[in-house]
Amino acid sequence: MISIAVAGFSAGELELVAEDNQLIVRGRQKEDAERQYLHRGIAARQFQRNFLLADGVIAREAELRNGMLIVTLERPKVERLARTIAIRSA
């Protein structure tokens, strides 16, 4: 599981892309010219964050809860095979 703080962003302003073994999270907010701010912090900027995933790891789902984007990852179990190899003599 990956948790990313994205306070100030709604689900419609976030994009989550799984490409090869990389997870890309982008946030873009639209400018609201009518709104006046006393202070605009980090949430007013665009961002992109990349995560390198191990081979075989799959992003299953994402949930936005209380300013945190929670991405559930899954690593499918790989079946281990063991076999006996005959040894020949020359």
Side-chain angles (χ1 to χ4, degrees):
M1 183 179 335
I2 297 174
S3 296
I4 307 160
V6 290
F9 288 86
S10 67
E13 297 169 330
L14 296 170
E15 180 183 18
L16 187 63
V17 178
E19 184 177 311
D20 296 327
N21 62 339
Q22 202 172 40
L23 185 67
I24 303 166
V25 181
R26 291 184 188 106
R28 293 186 186 99
Q29 287 185 327
K30 294 184 175 118
E31 194 67 33
D32 188 1
E34 295 179 12
R35 199 165 181 188
Q36 293 184 359
Y37 296 93
L38 178 61
H39 173 72
R40 290 182 72 177
I42 252 176
R45 293 188 237 154
Q46 296 182 30
F47 74 91
Q48 177 173 319
R49 181 89 191 261
N50 299 341
F51 297 91
L52 185 62
L53 302 177
D55 289 337
V57 173
I58 300 166
R60 284 287 171 205
E61 62 183 3
E63 179 183 2
L64 183 61
R65 185 178 352 146
N66 298 327
M68 294 293 290
L69 179 64
I70 301 164
V71 182
T72 303
L73 304 174
E74 182 179 308
R75 177 181 289 195
K77 292 189 178 188
V78 178
E79 195 174 305
R80 305 273 181 198
L81 298 175
R83 61 186 178 109
T84 303
I85 301 170
I87 301 173
R88 298 182 305 176
S89 60

